[in-house]
Amino acid sequence: MARFGMVIDTKKCVGCQDCVIACKTENKVPEGHDRDWIVTESHGKFPDILMEIRTERCNHCSNTPCVSCCPTGASHIHDVGGVVLVNHDLCIGCKACVESCPYDARFIHPDGYADKCTFCIHRVEKGLKPACVEVCPTYCMHFGDLDDPNSEVSKLLQSRKYHVNLPEAGTQPNIFYLI
Amino acid sequence: MNSLSRRKFLKISGATIATAAVLAGSAKTFVKASKKISERKGLEIIPTYCDLCFWKCGALAYIEDGKLWKVEGNPADPLSNGRLCPRGTGGVGAHYDPDRLKSPLIRKSLRGEEKWIDVTWDEAFDYIAEKMIKIKNEYGPESVALFSHGIGGSFLKHLIRAYGSPNETAPSFAQCRGPREVGFELTFGDVVGSPERTDIENTRCLTLIGSHLGENMHNTQVQEFSRAVERGASIIVVDPRFSVAASKAKYYLPIKPGTDLALLLAWMSIIVNEKLYDAEYISKYGTGFDLFVAEVSKYTPEWAYVETGIEPDLIRETAREMARYKPASLVHPGRHATWYGDDAQRSRAIALLNALLGSWGRKGGFYQTHSFSIPKYPYPPYPELKKESVHNPNNKYPFATGEQISTGIREATITGKPYPIKGWFVYGTNLMQALPNQNETVEAIQNLDLMVVVDVIPSEIAGWADVVLPESVYLERYDDLNTSPFKEAFVGIRQPVIEEPNDQKPNWWMAKKIAEKIGLGNYFPWKDVEEYLDTRLQAADLSLQELKTKGIIKAPQQPIYFEDGAEPEFLTPSGKIEFYSSQLAEAGFDPVPRYTKHPDPPPGYFRLIYGRAPVHTFSKTQSNPLLKDMMDENELWVNTDIAEKYGLNHGVYIKLKNQDGVVSNKIKVRVTERIRTDCVYMVHGFGQKSRQLRSTFNKGASDSELITKYTIDPLMGGTAMNVNFVTFEMEA
Amino acid sequence: MHEIFTTRNNPYVDPIMAMWEWQIPVYLFLGGMVAGMMIIAGYFLFSGRHKESNCACFSIPFTSLILLSLGMFALFLDLAHKPYVWRLYTTFQLKSPMSWGAWILILVYPALIANILIRPSQWMINRVPKLSEIAGKIQQHHILIRNIGILNMLFGLMLGAYTGVLLSTLGSRPLWNTSLLWVLFLVSGLSAAAAYVHLVAKNKAESELLAKADNGFLVVELFVFVMMFLGLLSSAKPHIEAANLLLNGAYAPIFWVFVIGMGIVIPLIIQLLAVNHKVKHTPIAPIMVIVGGLILRFVIVSAGQYSHWFNAHFH
């Protein structure tokens, strides 16, 4: 079984939001809504500052509170790559999944259903990369099968230090940040 | 599309391409193409090149059932490598921008009141033609000037030259990279150019002085910067603000604004005194080195510490660091260089530092550029010029060569000297935010008999026009060929991929129509722009059809480094790298740069510095719905300690007042550790005053509004703008 | 200094989660109060009091039906994809409390209706004369009435617990993420229901009884609060931050004044005095309890959405 995930090199990311815009055009994300976003986090006192820039989105967790809480099965785990998806025709817009996500990765689409990153599964199933990965001018994003030890993403995780977001929330996120 | 490139596109998109009914066999079908929209079915992928900034990356536009869907990079394009920057990716929004100009406008009340009558193109052209003929008769054709930024202005430039005026300028010289080009030309005999000839990709040590790559998104540079970071290149960042680039740096030097030259001199003195320079390179290509050494060796790091606030040991260590990796050690020349008024000399110091490192012409330094040679269109010769341009009377700024000083033309428009300027054409540049001191711009405009603005959006400058001509956005028009100098020579095409939503027209059509109205039709002998482009391309043994299909055609690779056989050629008077510049000495300037001290902000005031955000280009893109969604206002960066002292909370709105009492629009405070305590920072391009730009009107504050003071570079007439001081106005 | 900037700006998510507005607290409150009413009414049936001419058995079920329907309507108003609401009933999602809740409501309605049918009001009989006949038949079967009582208590318990579980399973909100939340909501629901009977009962003895019961519920509720805060405060940092939101943070004034003070402590004192005949029974105390219960749901829903794993990283 493939387990799709992303490995994002925070050393290279400049936070330009290209990924965000590419997502918006590719997926026709409505104005004023973001499926992905940039977080800039810094510590320290000027001029001794440590800063990390990350592009964030749904973590397509292995442990999925958003799927568990869904009363209709709209929020589900796709049979390809363990990608977490929402079936618009099942969603009643109860917002429980939005509340359940520790990353606040979901929102309610103006058409009423819960929406979020799909890992561009429509592209991935055609052998393409997600739009955000494909557009990144710093080449900081990598997408692939985390269960395949020979994949680019697995190799990066073997060779570099990394962290995930909110490991303490226990969701087993599948997006890893190289540091 | 030929079958080969089709396969390629299939590979890129994975989508089915329907009958590639690529728009237009001729411009005629393009112009009346609206009926054809419904006939376009399926997915079409059409190459073009981007216009969201001036880098001109190759792009692929995706049209889905006749509707513009998305824009991606063209993998064949050496500038973008198939990856556009955020603005380019958001280019779709330029087409859909609800605030776009829709039809030609003629003003019906006072200039600047933004009251208009919708007119037909013919009426607009009649108005312009009548005034142009009148100005020509009363004052001579020289009295019309063109301010034009971007390749789209090339047909208007041709029109103005055909009309008989020498006055043609862009703010990109005197308000931006002019000092840099002059500093480098004085040293190496050549400019840095655009795209910058910096080999960031291969450098082993990259020094950035105020250059905020990553926030400044010039595509190739950011891509190469990222690769340099990945390869572990040593990065040194000098900036009063802890920029994104600073967060990637091995050394961050939090310099006091205005003292960069002191740091550069100290660096050079260390490299000279410790003999860390590339001696072989210098003896082979340099001249005046001994005189240079005598001058710079006196600038100790301890002296520089007092000026810059940077620890002497850090200055030493970074000088040694950059020398360690020579010649693959690049001190980036920056781009927007009009800072303090001695900018050409500061840029020359950067050039000299690079010369010490032997990086010019070397791998990991500055490569030698190549551009695709395509003959110009065989136009009839222009009329002989009777007068010189007004931009630099009496050669007051002796090194303002190559390009014209925009503010010089503005000055002449105000004073009427050396001769009156009575007409302005403004193409694709919002002079209200591009030129310092808005009052002077308005004063100049009030002296005009004709003010024409060609733009895609109702920019602030359009509000001051007599006639506004709505241009098609780049996705809807042809422009001239892109043959930018780069690592490899290439030619790129911009072609329409989608119809204009309203009555917008391409600039080539406007230029041709105006020319015909004023009896200069013979200067536009081509039927349409396709004929123009095909004529040029055929002269280079290419065809329009082929370029339209591929988007980019490259020439064979040629050596770009001296070590690979690129010919070292220095077009200085001595034919060498001029460590000591006799030209400068003869003109009464320092032949080797010297430090000048700039005034500090008075107590309670902060130096206003400004920069760029990755999602916007100047003040051109704020109404683009995709980019507005990313950033719809700018913020004022204030150091945490200062914020505490003045009781400024994060997220509150305040106003700024400058040294001349000018008060800004309200701006949101960003309390941060990432900036010094003696300056505040904002992203340029916001706080726009055009009421027709509904989505961005009065969002954020305008640095340009606060830049009432400017210091002129005595070498080349550049207007330094980091010389303004602001204080906080609490009631917002 | 720790600085964090996000470019995300989703409506009702940023800067602070506010997806659930007034509808959900109203629904949770009404659901909890109805649960309490069912348990009280069910207990009365179970203990054979339906023979007495009191109100609890007979007016409460009908009121519950109305209140629950209002609560359901509030929930429906909250749904963003309303035409798809029927999708709740084409599936059962074992792990989803909301799915459980949807199906519990399917059980609750018949139980309430069964209760109503035992002794329908004259108003109903006038409209549907056959009701009298049905009631007559039911009343002949004491075991059936007992069982209706048991079912009302059981489904009431499930409903009351569900209103808390719905939130407490949303682990991303540390304030909700306590296994005592269902107890709190259940006890609060019971308290509100008791207060309601106390308020409207014409039968003095019943009113007195429910006032005493309410005093008990309020004391238990205070105890549950203490336990809940002890649990949160001895947990991970996000939970401590969440508890502090109520104890001394942004929500402290409303929590202490309206939920604890005016919602529990003051009415408890008044009712203690009343049952000991120191003061007269007035509607003041029970109204305070009911309003306090409603505010409790608002505070918990709002502060819960505010509480976040991530916020804990800032301080």
Side-chain angles (χ1 to χ4, degrees), chain C residues 58-59 62 116 119-128 131:
Chain C
F58 305 113
S59 84
F62 189 69
I116 290 167
R119 199 171 152 182
S121 67
Q122 198 57 46
W123 182 85
M124 283 188 236
I125 292 167
N126 288 348
R127 273 152 190 81
V128 190
L131 285 178

Side-chain angles (χ1 to χ4, degrees), chain A residues 34 40 42 69 91 99 104, chain C residues 3 10 81 96 172-173 305:
Chain A
D34 300 315
T40 309
S42 59
C69 72
C91 178
E99 300 278 356
D104 294 347
Chain C
E3 295 174 34
N10 284 328
H81 221 201
S96 164
S172 62
R173 309 286 141 192
Q305 294 186 98

Side-chain angles (χ1 to χ4, degrees), chain A residues 13 18 24 26 32 136 138, chain B residues 70 83-84 89 226 248 629:
Chain A
C13 179
D18 209 352
K24 288 206 168 213
E26 175 69 31
C136 178
T138 70
Chain B
K70 62 177 177 177
R83 293 178 179 226
L84 296 179
T89 306
S226 157
K248 318 284 181 197
D629 216 3

Side-chain angles (χ1 to χ4, degrees), chain A residues 31, chain B residues 92-102 456-458 501-502 504 622-626 628 692-696:
Chain A
E31 200 175 327
Chain B
V92 178
H95 170 69
Y96 289 115
D97 187 342
D99 288 345
R100 280 180 69 171
L101 288 166
K102 294 179 177 67
V456 296
I457 51 164
N502 313 96
Q504 298 91 349
Q622 279 72 9
S623 63
N624 174 318
L626 276 163
K628 174 172 64 92
Q692 290 165 281
L693 282 172
R694 283 160 300 175
S695 56
T696 188

Side-chain angles (χ1 to χ4, degrees), chain B residues 314-327:
Chain B
L314 187 55
I315 298 176
R316 275 194 194 88
E317 203 175 329
T318 44
R320 289 170 193 153
E321 181 82 2
M322 63 181 81
R324 181 173 305 131
Y325 297 107
K326 69 176 183 295

Side-chain angles (χ1 to χ4, degrees), chain B residues 582-599:
Chain B
S582 309
Q583 291 189 80
L584 281 173
E586 280 158 23
F589 298 110
D590 296 333
V592 174
R594 276 190 204 174
Y595 183 63
T596 30
K597 218 173 161 82
H598 301 295

Side-chain angles (χ1 to χ4, degrees), chain B residues 20 101 168 225 328 415 526 675:
Chain B
L101 288 166
E168 177 266 302
F225 177 61
T415 60
W526 31 268
I675 190 165

